[in-house]
Amino acid sequence: MIRRVMNNNDLEIYEDDTLVMTLSETIKDGEMSVHISGAIKSTVAHELEDELMAAVSFCRSISVNMAQVTFISGNALRSLLTVQRIADESDISLVIESPSEEVMAVFDESGFSDLLELRYEC
């Protein structure tokens, strides 16, 4: 069972009683910044998609920091691609920032490195 818990400004996603993923969101002047930590498993990928799709309706840019993501599933890739398509249609910038080594390896293997805008912090 998937459970969503708000803890201060963080959205914690639990599978059964195990914390799987945390989303920390900040919105300022139409720009949304999301920091994700944990694993974006198939069972919780739609939670990420839901949060990002909601932002597409009222933000002009969305940055998703994945430096603390330890795993990303195929369903999560599909969710990111869906959000990217809608963002492109709506002329909204979607940037994946600082993907972890694990995430970058999946992006490279799947060809998503060429489909998503990636940005790295120095």
Side-chain angles (χ1 to χ4, degrees), residues 5 10 14 17 21 26 28 31 36-37 41-42 48-49 52 57 75-77 79 82-83 91 102 105 111-112 114 121:
V5 175
D10 296 341
Y14 290 83
D17 289 329
M21 179 175 67
T26 305
K28 182 178 180 183
E31 298 180 1
I36 304 172
S37 61
K41 298 168 52 175
S42 293
L48 174 60
E49 183 177 341
L52 296 177
S57 66
N75 282 348
L77 292 176
S79 291
T82 298
V83 174
D91 199 29
E102 296 89 350
F112 271 64
D114 299 326
E121 291 180 9

PDB file of all heavy atoms in Angstrom, residues 5 10 14 17 21 26 28 31 36-37 41-42 48-49 52 57 75-77 79 82-83 91 102 105 111-112 114 121:
ATOM      1  N   VAL A   5       2.625  11.185   3.079  1.00  0.00           N
ATOM      2  CA  VAL A   5       2.644  11.869   4.366  1.00  0.00           C
ATOM      3  C   VAL A   5       3.359  13.207   4.195  1.00  0.00           C
ATOM      4  O   VAL A   5       4.469  13.251   3.657  1.00  0.00           O
ATOM      5  CB  VAL A   5       3.374  11.032   5.443  1.00  0.00           C
ATOM      6  CG1 VAL A   5       3.494  11.793   6.750  1.00  0.00           C
ATOM      7  CG2 VAL A   5       2.680   9.700   5.657  1.00  0.00           C
ATOM      8  N   ASP A  10       7.927  18.628   3.201  1.00  0.00           N
ATOM      9  CA  ASP A  10       8.327  17.465   2.423  1.00  0.00           C
ATOM     10  C   ASP A  10       7.162  16.502   2.264  1.00  0.00           C
ATOM     11  O   ASP A  10       6.403  16.263   3.203  1.00  0.00           O
ATOM     12  CB  ASP A  10       9.470  16.709   3.108  1.00  0.00           C
ATOM     13  CG  ASP A  10      10.740  17.527   3.208  1.00  0.00           C
ATOM     14  OD1 ASP A  10      10.878  18.514   2.466  1.00  0.00           O
ATOM     15  OD2 ASP A  10      11.598  17.167   4.027  1.00  0.00           O
ATOM     16  N   TYR A  14       5.507   6.421   1.222  1.00  0.00           N
ATOM     17  CA  TYR A  14       5.786   5.149   1.876  1.00  0.00           C
ATOM     18  C   TYR A  14       5.158   4.014   1.086  1.00  0.00           C
ATOM     19  O   TYR A  14       4.055   4.150   0.562  1.00  0.00           O
ATOM     20  CB  TYR A  14       5.200   5.122   3.289  1.00  0.00           C
ATOM     21  CG  TYR A  14       5.896   6.034   4.259  1.00  0.00           C
ATOM     22  CD1 TYR A  14       5.580   7.386   4.327  1.00  0.00           C
ATOM     23  CD2 TYR A  14       6.875   5.543   5.111  1.00  0.00           C
ATOM     24  CE1 TYR A  14       6.217   8.226   5.224  1.00  0.00           C
ATOM     25  CE2 TYR A  14       7.521   6.379   6.020  1.00  0.00           C
ATOM     26  CZ  TYR A  14       7.183   7.712   6.067  1.00  0.00           C
ATOM     27  OH  TYR A  14       7.823   8.540   6.951  1.00  0.00           O
ATOM     28  N   ASP A  17       5.208   0.202   5.189  1.00  0.00           N
ATOM     29  CA  ASP A  17       5.689   1.090   6.253  1.00  0.00           C
ATOM     30  C   ASP A  17       7.107   1.596   5.992  1.00  0.00           C
ATOM     31  O   ASP A  17       7.743   2.150   6.881  1.00  0.00           O
ATOM     32  CB  ASP A  17       5.649   0.365   7.598  1.00  0.00           C
ATOM     33  CG  ASP A  17       4.224   0.155   8.088  1.00  0.00           C
ATOM     34  OD1 ASP A  17       3.364   0.997   7.776  1.00  0.00           O
ATOM     35  OD2 ASP A  17       3.971  -0.853   8.779  1.00  0.00           O
ATOM     36  N   MET A  21      10.518   7.363  -0.991  1.00  0.00           N
ATOM     37  CA  MET A  21      10.910   8.566  -1.719  1.00  0.00           C
ATOM     38  C   MET A  21      10.414   9.794  -0.967  1.00  0.00           C
ATOM     39  O   MET A  21       9.338   9.777  -0.387  1.00  0.00           O
ATOM     40  CB  MET A  21      10.293   8.522  -3.121  1.00  0.00           C
ATOM     41  CG  MET A  21      10.574   9.697  -3.997  1.00  0.00           C
ATOM     42  SD  MET A  21       9.919   9.498  -5.682  1.00  0.00           S
ATOM     43  CE  MET A  21       8.150   9.507  -5.410  1.00  0.00           C
ATOM     44  N   THR A  26       9.781  23.684  -3.730  1.00  0.00           N
ATOM     45  CA  THR A  26       9.795  25.117  -3.485  1.00  0.00           C
ATOM     46  C   THR A  26       9.266  25.786  -4.743  1.00  0.00           C
ATOM     47  O   THR A  26       9.699  25.461  -5.850  1.00  0.00           O
ATOM     48  CB  THR A  26      11.229  25.621  -3.221  1.00  0.00           C
ATOM     49  OG1 THR A  26      11.794  24.877  -2.148  1.00  0.00           O
ATOM     50  CG2 THR A  26      11.227  27.090  -2.872  1.00  0.00           C
ATOM     51  N   LYS A  28       8.583  29.643  -6.371  1.00  0.00           N
ATOM     52  CA  LYS A  28       8.788  31.078  -6.219  1.00  0.00           C
ATOM     53  C   LYS A  28       8.743  31.709  -7.599  1.00  0.00           C
ATOM     54  O   LYS A  28       9.460  31.286  -8.508  1.00  0.00           O
ATOM     55  CB  LYS A  28      10.143  31.353  -5.556  1.00  0.00           C
ATOM     56  CG  LYS A  28      10.405  32.815  -5.314  1.00  0.00           C
ATOM     57  CD  LYS A  28      11.716  33.029  -4.621  1.00  0.00           C
ATOM     58  CE  LYS A  28      11.919  34.518  -4.418  1.00  0.00           C
ATOM     59  NZ  LYS A  28      13.209  34.808  -3.823  1.00  0.00           N
ATOM     60  N   GLU A  31       8.474  29.543 -10.668  1.00  0.00           N
ATOM     61  CA  GLU A  31       9.513  28.541 -10.863  1.00  0.00           C
ATOM     62  C   GLU A  31       9.460  27.527  -9.728  1.00  0.00           C
ATOM     63  O   GLU A  31       9.449  27.898  -8.560  1.00  0.00           O
ATOM     64  CB  GLU A  31      10.886  29.201 -10.914  1.00  0.00           C
ATOM     65  CG  GLU A  31      11.022  30.162 -12.078  1.00  0.00           C
ATOM     66  CD  GLU A  31      12.373  30.834 -12.147  1.00  0.00           C
ATOM     67  OE1 GLU A  31      13.242  30.554 -11.305  1.00  0.00           O
ATOM     68  OE2 GLU A  31      12.556  31.644 -13.064  1.00  0.00           O
ATOM     69  N   ILE A  36      14.479  15.409  -4.953  1.00  0.00           N
ATOM     70  CA  ILE A  36      14.004  14.049  -4.713  1.00  0.00           C
ATOM     71  C   ILE A  36      15.108  13.267  -4.030  1.00  0.00           C
ATOM     72  O   ILE A  36      16.275  13.349  -4.426  1.00  0.00           O
ATOM     73  CB  ILE A  36      13.624  13.337  -6.026  1.00  0.00           C
ATOM     74  CG1 ILE A  36      12.598  14.152  -6.793  1.00  0.00           C
ATOM     75  CG2 ILE A  36      13.111  11.936  -5.746  1.00  0.00           C
ATOM     76  CD1 ILE A  36      12.323  13.623  -8.181  1.00  0.00           C
ATOM     77  N   SER A  37      14.725  12.494  -3.029  1.00  0.00           N
ATOM     78  CA  SER A  37      15.675  11.570  -2.421  1.00  0.00           C
ATOM     79  C   SER A  37      15.009  10.210  -2.300  1.00  0.00           C
ATOM     80  O   SER A  37      13.786  10.105  -2.213  1.00  0.00           O
ATOM     81  CB  SER A  37      16.147  12.076  -1.050  1.00  0.00           C
ATOM     82  OG  SER A  37      15.064  12.200  -0.170  1.00  0.00           O
ATOM     83  N   LYS A  41      10.763   3.985  -7.459  1.00  0.00           N
ATOM     84  CA  LYS A  41      10.369   2.642  -7.868  1.00  0.00           C
ATOM     85  C   LYS A  41       9.112   2.696  -8.727  1.00  0.00           C
ATOM     86  O   LYS A  41       8.394   3.697  -8.734  1.00  0.00           O
ATOM     87  CB  LYS A  41      10.109   1.786  -6.622  1.00  0.00           C
ATOM     88  CG  LYS A  41      11.338   1.613  -5.747  1.00  0.00           C
ATOM     89  CD  LYS A  41      11.041   1.021  -4.390  1.00  0.00           C
ATOM     90  CE  LYS A  41      10.245  -0.241  -4.441  1.00  0.00           C
ATOM     91  NZ  LYS A  41      10.067  -0.861  -3.120  1.00  0.00           N
ATOM     92  N   SER A  42       8.846   1.606  -9.426  1.00  0.00           N
ATOM     93  CA  SER A  42       7.639   1.527 -10.272  1.00  0.00           C
ATOM     94  C   SER A  42       6.378   1.810  -9.476  1.00  0.00           C
ATOM     95  O   SER A  42       5.449   2.430  -9.976  1.00  0.00           O
ATOM     96  CB  SER A  42       7.546   0.145 -10.919  1.00  0.00           C
ATOM     97  OG  SER A  42       8.590  -0.022 -11.839  1.00  0.00           O
ATOM     98  N   LEU A  48       5.387  10.816  -8.374  1.00  0.00           N
ATOM     99  CA  LEU A  48       6.252  11.853  -8.936  1.00  0.00           C
ATOM    100  C   LEU A  48       5.574  12.507 -10.133  1.00  0.00           C
ATOM    101  O   LEU A  48       5.540  13.732 -10.246  1.00  0.00           O
ATOM    102  CB  LEU A  48       7.595  11.254  -9.353  1.00  0.00           C
ATOM    103  CG  LEU A  48       8.535  12.198 -10.093  1.00  0.00           C
ATOM    104  CD1 LEU A  48       8.889  13.412  -9.238  1.00  0.00           C
ATOM    105  CD2 LEU A  48       9.785  11.454 -10.539  1.00  0.00           C
ATOM    106  N   GLU A  49       5.020  11.684 -11.008  1.00  0.00           N
ATOM    107  CA  GLU A  49       4.339  12.224 -12.189  1.00  0.00           C
ATOM    108  C   GLU A  49       3.199  13.155 -11.790  1.00  0.00           C
ATOM    109  O   GLU A  49       3.052  14.245 -12.351  1.00  0.00           O
ATOM    110  CB  GLU A  49       3.806  11.091 -13.063  1.00  0.00           C
ATOM    111  CG  GLU A  49       3.157  11.573 -14.333  1.00  0.00           C
ATOM    112  CD  GLU A  49       2.697  10.440 -15.243  1.00  0.00           C
ATOM    113  OE1 GLU A  49       3.177   9.300 -15.103  1.00  0.00           O
ATOM    114  OE2 GLU A  49       1.845  10.720 -16.110  1.00  0.00           O
ATOM    115  N   LEU A  52       4.620  16.540 -10.587  1.00  0.00           N
ATOM    116  CA  LEU A  52       5.157  17.347 -11.682  1.00  0.00           C
ATOM    117  C   LEU A  52       4.073  17.826 -12.632  1.00  0.00           C
ATOM    118  O   LEU A  52       4.111  18.960 -13.112  1.00  0.00           O
ATOM    119  CB  LEU A  52       6.237  16.569 -12.428  1.00  0.00           C
ATOM    120  CG  LEU A  52       7.493  16.232 -11.622  1.00  0.00           C
ATOM    121  CD1 LEU A  52       8.458  15.405 -12.457  1.00  0.00           C
ATOM    122  CD2 LEU A  52       8.160  17.483 -11.082  1.00  0.00           C
ATOM    123  N   SER A  57       0.751  22.957 -14.718  1.00  0.00           N
ATOM    124  CA  SER A  57      -0.428  23.796 -14.918  1.00  0.00           C
ATOM    125  C   SER A  57      -0.246  25.238 -14.429  1.00  0.00           C
ATOM    126  O   SER A  57      -1.001  26.107 -14.829  1.00  0.00           O
ATOM    127  CB  SER A  57      -1.650  23.162 -14.253  1.00  0.00           C
ATOM    128  OG  SER A  57      -1.487  23.132 -12.850  1.00  0.00           O
ATOM    129  N   ASN A  75       9.182   2.637 -15.142  1.00  0.00           N
ATOM    130  CA  ASN A  75       7.940   3.407 -15.012  1.00  0.00           C
ATOM    131  C   ASN A  75       8.239   4.862 -14.686  1.00  0.00           C
ATOM    132  O   ASN A  75       7.538   5.755 -15.151  1.00  0.00           O
ATOM    133  CB  ASN A  75       7.024   2.814 -13.945  1.00  0.00           C
ATOM    134  CG  ASN A  75       6.283   1.601 -14.428  1.00  0.00           C
ATOM    135  OD1 ASN A  75       6.261   1.294 -15.614  1.00  0.00           O
ATOM    136  ND2 ASN A  75       5.660   0.876 -13.511  1.00  0.00           N
ATOM    137  N   ALA A  76       9.264   5.105 -13.891  1.00  0.00           N
ATOM    138  CA  ALA A  76       9.644   6.484 -13.566  1.00  0.00           C
ATOM    139  C   ALA A  76      10.163   7.195 -14.810  1.00  0.00           C
ATOM    140  O   ALA A  76       9.879   8.381 -15.025  1.00  0.00           O
ATOM    141  CB  ALA A  76      10.681   6.510 -12.453  1.00  0.00           C
ATOM    142  N   LEU A  77      10.907   6.478 -15.653  1.00  0.00           N
ATOM    143  CA  LEU A  77      11.368   7.066 -16.912  1.00  0.00           C
ATOM    144  C   LEU A  77      10.180   7.451 -17.783  1.00  0.00           C
ATOM    145  O   LEU A  77      10.146   8.538 -18.368  1.00  0.00           O
ATOM    146  CB  LEU A  77      12.272   6.088 -17.664  1.00  0.00           C
ATOM    147  CG  LEU A  77      13.621   5.782 -17.043  1.00  0.00           C
ATOM    148  CD1 LEU A  77      14.345   4.723 -17.859  1.00  0.00           C
ATOM    149  CD2 LEU A  77      14.460   7.031 -16.899  1.00  0.00           C
ATOM    150  N   SER A  79       7.210   8.181 -16.753  1.00  0.00           N
ATOM    151  CA  SER A  79       6.571   9.343 -16.122  1.00  0.00           C
ATOM    152  C   SER A  79       7.299  10.631 -16.473  1.00  0.00           C
ATOM    153  O   SER A  79       6.670  11.647 -16.793  1.00  0.00           O
ATOM    154  CB  SER A  79       6.524   9.167 -14.599  1.00  0.00           C
ATOM    155  OG  SER A  79       5.630   8.142 -14.240  1.00  0.00           O
ATOM    156  N   THR A  82       6.521  11.568 -20.046  1.00  0.00           N
ATOM    157  CA  THR A  82       5.161  12.104 -20.145  1.00  0.00           C
ATOM    158  C   THR A  82       5.131  13.568 -19.719  1.00  0.00           C
ATOM    159  O   THR A  82       4.560  14.420 -20.408  1.00  0.00           O
ATOM    160  CB  THR A  82       4.186  11.281 -19.280  1.00  0.00           C
ATOM    161  OG1 THR A  82       4.162   9.944 -19.770  1.00  0.00           O
ATOM    162  CG2 THR A  82       2.789  11.869 -19.288  1.00  0.00           C
ATOM    163  N   VAL A  83       5.766  13.863 -18.582  1.00  0.00           N
ATOM    164  CA  VAL A  83       5.806  15.246 -18.092  1.00  0.00           C
ATOM    165  C   VAL A  83       6.585  16.122 -19.066  1.00  0.00           C
ATOM    166  O   VAL A  83       6.182  17.251 -19.351  1.00  0.00           O
ATOM    167  CB  VAL A  83       6.394  15.307 -16.667  1.00  0.00           C
ATOM    168  CG1 VAL A  83       6.582  16.745 -16.216  1.00  0.00           C
ATOM    169  CG2 VAL A  83       5.507  14.557 -15.680  1.00  0.00           C
ATOM    170  N   ASP A  91       5.206  24.949 -23.465  1.00  0.00           N
ATOM    171  CA  ASP A  91       6.340  25.867 -23.473  1.00  0.00           C
ATOM    172  C   ASP A  91       6.871  26.125 -22.059  1.00  0.00           C
ATOM    173  O   ASP A  91       7.136  27.258 -21.669  1.00  0.00           O
ATOM    174  CB  ASP A  91       5.971  27.178 -24.171  1.00  0.00           C
ATOM    175  CG  ASP A  91       7.201  27.951 -24.605  1.00  0.00           C
ATOM    176  OD1 ASP A  91       8.238  27.313 -24.886  1.00  0.00           O
ATOM    177  OD2 ASP A  91       7.138  29.197 -24.637  1.00  0.00           O
ATOM    178  N   GLU A 102      23.788   6.592 -10.335  1.00  0.00           N
ATOM    179  CA  GLU A 102      22.844   5.511 -10.620  1.00  0.00           C
ATOM    180  C   GLU A 102      21.807   5.959 -11.649  1.00  0.00           C
ATOM    181  O   GLU A 102      21.492   5.231 -12.593  1.00  0.00           O
ATOM    182  CB  GLU A 102      22.128   5.059  -9.339  1.00  0.00           C
ATOM    183  CG  GLU A 102      23.024   4.457  -8.293  1.00  0.00           C
ATOM    184  CD  GLU A 102      23.629   5.468  -7.318  1.00  0.00           C
ATOM    185  OE1 GLU A 102      23.516   6.698  -7.550  1.00  0.00           O
ATOM    186  OE2 GLU A 102      24.238   5.036  -6.337  1.00  0.00           O
ATOM    187  N   ALA A 105      23.420   6.535 -15.160  1.00  0.00           N
ATOM    188  CA  ALA A 105      23.680   5.269 -15.851  1.00  0.00           C
ATOM    189  C   ALA A 105      22.414   4.776 -16.554  1.00  0.00           C
ATOM    190  O   ALA A 105      22.463   4.333 -17.706  1.00  0.00           O
ATOM    191  CB  ALA A 105      24.192   4.222 -14.862  1.00  0.00           C
ATOM    192  N   GLY A 111      18.857   5.911 -23.317  1.00  0.00           N
ATOM    193  CA  GLY A 111      18.800   6.982 -24.304  1.00  0.00           C
ATOM    194  C   GLY A 111      18.122   8.246 -23.780  1.00  0.00           C
ATOM    195  O   GLY A 111      17.963   9.216 -24.519  1.00  0.00           O
ATOM    196  N   PHE A 112      17.735   8.264 -22.522  1.00  0.00           N
ATOM    197  CA  PHE A 112      17.052   9.428 -21.955  1.00  0.00           C
ATOM    198  C   PHE A 112      17.984  10.622 -21.801  1.00  0.00           C
ATOM    199  O   PHE A 112      17.517  11.753 -21.692  1.00  0.00           O
ATOM    200  CB  PHE A 112      16.408   9.069 -20.612  1.00  0.00           C
ATOM    201  CG  PHE A 112      15.013   8.548 -20.749  1.00  0.00           C
ATOM    202  CD1 PHE A 112      14.763   7.359 -21.424  1.00  0.00           C
ATOM    203  CD2 PHE A 112      13.939   9.234 -20.227  1.00  0.00           C
ATOM    204  CE1 PHE A 112      13.483   6.873 -21.569  1.00  0.00           C
ATOM    205  CE2 PHE A 112      12.653   8.764 -20.364  1.00  0.00           C
ATOM    206  CZ  PHE A 112      12.423   7.582 -21.039  1.00  0.00           C
ATOM    207  N   ASP A 114      19.550  11.917 -24.040  1.00  0.00           N
ATOM    208  CA  ASP A 114      19.308  12.735 -25.224  1.00  0.00           C
ATOM    209  C   ASP A 114      17.902  13.317 -25.266  1.00  0.00           C
ATOM    210  O   ASP A 114      17.633  14.221 -26.049  1.00  0.00           O
ATOM    211  CB  ASP A 114      19.535  11.902 -26.491  1.00  0.00           C
ATOM    212  CG  ASP A 114      20.958  11.386 -26.594  1.00  0.00           C
ATOM    213  OD1 ASP A 114      21.880  12.106 -26.146  1.00  0.00           O
ATOM    214  OD2 ASP A 114      21.138  10.271 -27.108  1.00  0.00           O
ATOM    215  N   GLU A 121      25.527  20.559 -11.347  1.00  0.00           N
ATOM    216  CA  GLU A 121      26.130  21.592 -10.500  1.00  0.00           C
ATOM    217  C   GLU A 121      27.622  21.334 -10.447  1.00  0.00           C
ATOM    218  O   GLU A 121      28.064  20.197 -10.425  1.00  0.00           O
ATOM    219  CB  GLU A 121      25.550  21.530  -9.084  1.00  0.00           C
ATOM    220  CG  GLU A 121      24.108  21.949  -9.007  1.00  0.00           C
ATOM    221  CD  GLU A 121      23.558  21.885  -7.593  1.00  0.00           C
ATOM    222  OE1 GLU A 121      24.342  21.679  -6.637  1.00  0.00           O
ATOM    223  OE2 GLU A 121      22.356  22.049  -7.435  1.00  0.00           O
TER     224      GLU A 121
END
